[in-house]
Amino acid sequence: MEVDMENIHENLQHDEDSHVSGIASPSSDMHPLRSTRLPVQRSSICSRAYFVVVMVFFHVYILNVIALLLYVHYNNGPGDLVSGDRPSSSSVGEGESPLHPAPHPRKSREEEQSFRLPRLEGIRVGHVQPVSLGSDRTHKMKTLSLKPLLFEVPGFLSEEECRVVVQLAQLKGLMESQMTAASREQGEANYPLLSLSTEEVFSLLDLNQDGLLQKQEIVSHSRSRDGTWLSPDNLRQILTGLEACSTGTLNLEEFQRVYDVSQGSGKEPSGKPRSQFKQRSKHTGLYQGPGSHHVLQTLRRRVISLTRVPTALVDMSEPLQVFRFEPGDFSDAHHDSSAPHAETACSHTRLAGNVSALTEVSCRYLTVLIYLSSVEDGGETTFPVADNRTYDELALVQEGVDLTDTRKTCGRGNLRIKPTAGTALLLYNHLSDGHGWMGELDEYSLHGDCPVKRGLKWVANSWVNVDPDYQQQARYQRLVSERHRANSGMEEHPQKLSHFDLHQDL
């Protein structure tokens, strides 16, 4: 009996050990409920976990679909800017400008026009990237500077094409480049300078010659585009003096006092006049529209391919300007474009411009400069402050020498480029406004031409004119299109809208 009790006790102990270890014992068949309950519990646990995982993935999928729909909705909304890339012919209706997107029903007509300005990436100084200009071979474009954004494209024109452009310029005839400011330095009698007395300025402003200056006369005459004798600062000083008079007019004596003050505003505290831009060269403009020489039309197409701006913008920009620098010729460091200002209007959009603007200025988004000849000695294009950490106008004067004076400080420029026939430079004169349009003037784009020491320097400038106010640019586009349609309607065989006619005739 004792033996049986011991066997029963051992069997029970063995069953308990087997249950704890999870290993079925030979006696497990004697407990059917226990053996069937464990698998059911395992299956229940796996099903719950699987259900949770499926639900999580399902919710993530739904959230992704909603996010994608929202992204598509907001990126194709009516307020978005249209890409500046040239659309295909199928996407632009007949007689419709590629710069005119679909109108916004909630905006005024002036606000309907929205488009982007392409801007190439510099990556880093020295970076080389391929660029196709529509020819059989690919050109290598090198980044020369990031401040300003400047590229070099060797072989933009062949030597034969350069010769043709030079010959066309000579055939057209060259004019002396106009000085934008009179120099006050001594010993510069080698070339004519513009100098007007106070009485002469008064007479020029007095349009009706009644001996009195009214505000309308000053404002209307201030739109003279030569900019050689009155700057916006001078005009502001004169208008301030006129408004201070109780009569609202200025006689010659009163004008003399006001004019002297305005002239004094252009001097440094020491009494020394600020350095003013000077240039000595010859130039002419060349037509590039239909009927022009095929080389000029090829050059225009390459500018469009290089800059990637809409064709219409290039068509409505200034004609190609060709310059010749002889030994001793130069140009001081300057900006090709002007800073946006409430008191100025862009020359190229003057039809849709601000009628109250004091003066007209050049608005040039970018410059494509093409060297048409190599120079034996001198004639480099200099960028005095390229890639400086900071820009300070006062810092341009170092040890009493102005860095913008290329005749004295050409060798101090941070970047100097030797002319090589056929090479082109692409320079962005303005920064981006962050919304795909033209922003502030890039102060680092200051550049000039070092004096030519030996040989001749021929260069061509292709400027792309853009108004900083894209609504104003769009109004100008619309006015041009309307005038073109009106002119075409009067002709039996309407001609294509030409590059030169748009800029010169409007």
Side-chain angles (χ1 to χ4, degrees):
M1 197 63 186
E2 293 179 359
V3 175
D4 293 338
M5 290 299 294
E6 290 179 0
N7 291 336
I8 293 173
H9 180 72
E10 289 177 0
N11 290 333
L12 291 175
Q13 184 68 33
H14 180 70
D15 289 345
E16 291 177 1
D17 294 341
S18 299
H19 175 69
V20 173
S21 62
I23 302 175
S25 66
S27 61
S28 60
D29 295 338
M30 300 174 60
H31 306 280
L33 292 178
R34 183 183 302 171
S35 61
T36 57
R37 189 181 300 119
L38 289 176
V40 170
Q41 292 177 352
R42 290 195 186 98
S43 176
S44 175
I45 293 173
C46 292
S47 299
R48 189 179 300 112
Y50 179 79
F51 177 79
V52 170
V53 171
V54 169
M55 291 303 296
V56 168
F57 276 101
F58 177 77
H59 282 81
V60 170
Y61 175 79
I62 294 298
L63 291 175
N64 286 335
V65 171
I66 294 173
L68 181 60
L69 292 175
L70 290 174
Y71 175 82
V72 172
H73 172 74
Y74 284 108
N75 280 273
N76 290 277
D80 189 32
L81 292 176
V82 177
S83 172
D85 293 336
R86 297 181 299 278
S88 62
S89 57
S90 61
S91 64
V92 181
E94 185 177 354
E96 190 176 322
S97 170
L99 292 182
H100 293 173
H104 190 314
R106 292 176 295 178
K107 290 186 177 182
S108 64
R109 190 177 182 185
E110 287 78 13
E111 295 175 336
E112 291 174 0
Q113 317 303 330
S114 300
F115 39 91
R116 288 184 180 271
L117 287 174
R119 190 177 182 89
L120 303 180
E121 293 293 336
I123 312 298
R124 65 181 181 278
V125 175
H127 176 74
V128 177
Q129 52 186 305
V131 57
S132 175
L133 302 180
S135 56
D136 296 335
R137 63 190 183 91
T138 300
H139 297 258
K140 293 182 178 180
M141 183 174 67
K142 181 180 180 181
T143 303
L144 298 183
S145 169
L146 296 178
K147 296 191 306 183
L149 190 55
L150 174 66
F151 301 93
E152 180 184 52
V153 185
F156 184 84
L157 291 181
S158 66
E159 291 188 3
E160 178 60 29
E161 289 170 331
C162 290
R163 278 195 295 271
V164 170
V165 176
V166 168
Q167 291 168 357
L168 290 172
Q170 291 174 320
L171 184 63
K172 172 76 178 294
L174 298 163
M175 300 180 296
E176 292 285 346
S177 294
Q178 192 172 29
M179 307 284 289
T180 61
S183 171
R184 293 184 175 90
E185 297 179 5
Q186 300 296 325
E188 293 189 350
N190 295 331
Y191 53 94
L193 299 178
L194 181 64
S195 178
L196 296 175
S197 66
T198 305
E199 290 79 7
E200 290 171 325
V201 173
F202 182 86
S203 179
L204 287 172
L205 291 174
D206 188 11
L207 299 179
N208 58 10
Q209 294 295 298
D210 63 352
L212 295 174
L213 289 184
Q214 290 84 27
K215 181 176 181 179
Q216 297 88 334
E217 291 178 316
I218 298 175
V219 172
S220 63
H221 206 90
S222 70
R223 298 195 186 97
S224 174
R225 296 178 60 192
D226 53 41
T228 55
W229 53 277
L230 280 180
S231 68
D233 288 336
N234 298 145
L235 290 167
R236 279 191 287 269
Q237 291 285 346
I238 295 172
L239 286 175
T240 301
L242 183 144
E243 293 170 354
C245 293
S246 57
T247 60
T249 60
L250 290 176
N251 58 33
L252 177 58
E253 183 179 353
E254 292 168 334
F255 176 76
Q256 286 176 329
R257 291 196 299 268
V258 174
Y259 186 67
D260 290 341
V261 173
S262 70
Q263 293 297 97
S265 63
K267 296 186 177 183
E268 299 289 353
S270 62
K272 178 182 177 181
R274 291 177 184 155
S275 174
Q276 300 183 21
F277 170 62
K278 296 176 288 294
Q279 179 177 3
R280 189 167 66 195
S281 62
K282 293 180 174 64
H283 77 284
T284 190
L286 293 179
Y287 167 71
Q288 291 182 272
S292 63
H293 196 283
H294 71 91
V295 170
L296 296 179
Q297 295 191 50
T298 298
L299 189 154
R300 172 179 162 273
R301 288 193 296 269
R302 289 178 188 173
V303 168
I304 295 172
S305 298
L306 174 64
T307 61
R308 304 175 187 174
V309 299
T311 303
L313 283 180
V314 178
D315 287 342
M316 296 184 182
S317 296
E318 300 169 64
L320 183 73
Q321 294 293 312
V322 179
F323 293 83
R324 183 181 73 182
F325 293 83
E326 300 175 355
D329 288 353
F330 67 97
S331 73
D332 281 350
H334 59 281
H335 295 102
D336 278 354
S337 189
S338 304
H341 198 284
E343 297 178 349
T344 61
C346 295
S347 299
H348 76 284
T349 56
R350 59 187 179 277
L351 277 181
N354 180 7
V355 295
S356 63
L358 291 178
T359 187
E360 293 178 357
V361 297
S362 297
C363 301
R364 297 159 174 164
Y365 175 54
L366 57 82
T367 299
V368 178
L369 182 152
I370 307 109
Y371 295 115
L372 302 176
S373 68
S374 302
V375 181
E376 297 179 36
D377 190 10
E380 299 89 352
T381 303
T382 177
F383 291 81
V385 295
D387 285 324
N388 269 7
R389 288 189 175 183
T390 58
Y391 177 84
D392 184 2
E393 189 172 356
L394 297 178
L396 291 175
V397 180
Q398 298 181 1
E399 300 177 358
V401 180
D402 194 338
L403 293 181
T404 62
D405 188 347
T406 58
R407 289 169 296 176
K408 297 180 180 179
T409 62
C410 185
R412 297 189 185 184
N414 289 354
L415 176 63
R416 295 187 302 278
I417 304 166
K418 186 174 180 60
T420 302
T423 296
L425 302 179
L426 169 57
L427 168 66
Y428 286 93
N429 300 310
H430 286 259
L431 303 172
S432 172
D433 68 346
H435 302 285
W437 195 243
M438 187 169 87
E440 294 294 325
L441 178 70
D442 189 345
E443 301 285 1
Y444 294 90
S445 65
L446 191 73
H447 65 283
D449 297 276
C450 298
V452 174
K453 298 179 181 178
R454 189 168 61 253
L456 291 176
K457 175 182 177 180
W458 287 88
V459 296
N461 280 342
S462 180
W463 288 302
V464 176
N465 298 118
V466 177
D467 197 304
D469 184 349
Y470 70 83
Q471 295 178 6
Q472 188 129 292
Q473 178 73 31
R475 288 196 291 271
Y476 172 65
Q477 295 278 137
R478 186 169 60 255
L479 286 172
V480 169
S481 299
E482 291 172 356
R483 173 168 292 196
H484 172 58
R485 285 194 294 268
N487 293 339
S488 299
M490 294 184 295
E491 299 176 1
E492 184 178 356
H493 301 288
Q495 299 294 322
K496 183 180 177 181
L497 196 62
S498 71
H499 163 88
F500 184 78
D501 294 338
L502 284 173
H503 184 76
Q504 294 294 87
D505 295 345
L506 292 179

